[in-house]
Amino acid sequence: MAQNGYLAELREFYHKQLTENILPFWADHVRDIECGGYHTCLNRDGSIYEYDKLCMWHAGRVMWTFSHLYNEFEPNPEWLEVARFGLAFVQSYGFSKDGTMYYALTHDGHPLEGPQDVFTELSTVLGFTELARATGDEPLYQQAKALFLQVWEQVGMPGGAMQPFIASTRPARLHGHSMITLNVAQELRRYRDESVYDTVITECIRRIVEYHLKTEKHAIFELVGWDGEILP
């Protein structure tokens, strides 16, 4: 009984922090009313200390967070509005000509840092998919799916996604690529259960177990060679 009481107190504490502190803060301050998109660099009082959009992962995660809350917690129209707010900015300015995504943009959307790995794309897929689930926006889901399949192709080729070495000399795999891709495939499957996502999830698990899990070391290695070899 004491354990149940403690857990109830924790639930109440975190529920209050989320609904009365964290969510109101971001709902009030994250939207860039002047240029569109979301502010990424806020002081604790909500003031902005850097206007450039320094990490475009952030936009996808804001869209996912507020859409997911709308879908699973409460259909609060303000949450849906926050989730929708950054969509046009990301679609208009976030993509380079080859379909990959910029890592950072200026305040008004000019490219600031080029594509870096695939995590901006995967965060955007999360945001687009959950927003599509909230609104029934089928074209947005199709855009998310196409972007996801582009990333899946990249991570399946040596050097297709970021790695610390020149791929022709020392091809390598990152555990994060399989881990996050698996998570994103699960989220896409919430919108529509398509067989391609089962295939991706199964392959991600295989890569993690076959290449990154080192039972003799009691560890999962983040960075390994392309065939799972431990690198110097």
Side-chain angles (χ1 to χ4, degrees):
M1 184 65 69
Q3 178 78 2
N4 290 339
Y6 175 67
L7 292 176
E9 288 179 7
L10 283 180
R11 181 188 183 283
E12 178 61 25
F13 172 80
Y14 287 113
H15 180 274
K16 185 174 182 178
Q17 289 298 313
L18 181 66
T19 58
E20 298 182 17
N21 183 7
I22 297 169
L23 292 176
F25 175 87
W26 287 101
D28 288 345
H29 301 297
V30 74
R31 286 170 280 190
D32 183 346
I33 303 301
E34 179 183 355
C35 292
Y38 302 114
H39 295 299
T40 58
C41 301
L42 301 175
N43 290 305
R44 292 180 67 86
D45 63 0
S47 59
I48 302 156
Y49 65 86
E50 173 57 73
Y51 280 89
D52 290 331
K53 277 80 171 178
L54 294 181
C55 177
M56 288 300 290
W57 295 18
H58 176 72
R61 292 181 179 188
V62 171
M63 281 189 276
W64 181 88
T65 297
F66 282 92
S67 296
H68 190 74
L69 287 163
Y70 179 87
N71 288 331
E72 300 292 335
F73 187 69
E74 177 187 331
N76 183 329
E78 183 185 20
W79 293 344
L80 185 58
E81 171 56 28
V82 174
R84 279 177 158 152
F85 186 85
L87 177 62
F89 186 89
V90 173
Q91 290 178 320
S92 297
Y93 303 112
F95 292 87
S96 64
K97 291 181 180 179
D98 66 1
T100 58
M101 296 193 69
Y102 296 113
Y103 180 76
L105 302 173
T106 62
H107 183 205
D108 57 355
H110 293 287
L112 191 61
E113 293 186 47
Q116 296 182 16
D117 210 350
V118 293
F119 296 118
T120 300
E121 286 86 346
L122 289 174
S123 294
T124 299
V125 172
L126 285 175
F128 282 11
T129 303
E130 195 67 2
L131 181 55
R133 194 162 74 94
T135 60
D137 189 336
E138 178 68 16
L140 184 60
Y141 164 72
Q142 292 298 336
Q143 185 180 3
K145 179 183 177 182
L147 184 57
F148 176 76
L149 294 177
Q150 172 187 302
V151 170
W152 180 238
E153 183 176 353
Q154 286 179 253
V155 298
M157 300 183 298
M162 190 188 76
Q163 59 175 20
F165 311 114
I166 295 174
S168 59
T169 303
R170 182 175 291 166
R173 295 180 185 271
L174 295 177
H175 171 251
H177 289 156
S178 292
M179 180 184 67
I180 303 302
T181 301
L182 189 158
N183 167 249
V184 175
Q186 289 176 314
E187 291 298 303
L188 282 156
R189 198 164 57 176
R190 283 177 182 262
Y191 183 94
R192 180 169 298 139
D193 192 357
E194 300 190 52
S195 61
V196 63
Y197 305 133
D198 295 334
T199 301
V200 169
I201 289 168
T202 299
E203 177 60 15
C204 286
I205 293 171
R206 185 193 71 82
R207 291 177 186 178
I208 292 169
V209 172
E210 184 173 329
Y211 299 131
H212 297 278
L213 176 63
K214 306 300 179 187
T215 53
E216 72 281 7
K217 300 286 189 180
H218 304 285
I220 292 177
F221 278 45
E222 173 62 30
L223 177 68
V224 295
W226 194 254
D227 296 317
E229 62 272 26
I230 296 175
L231 296 175

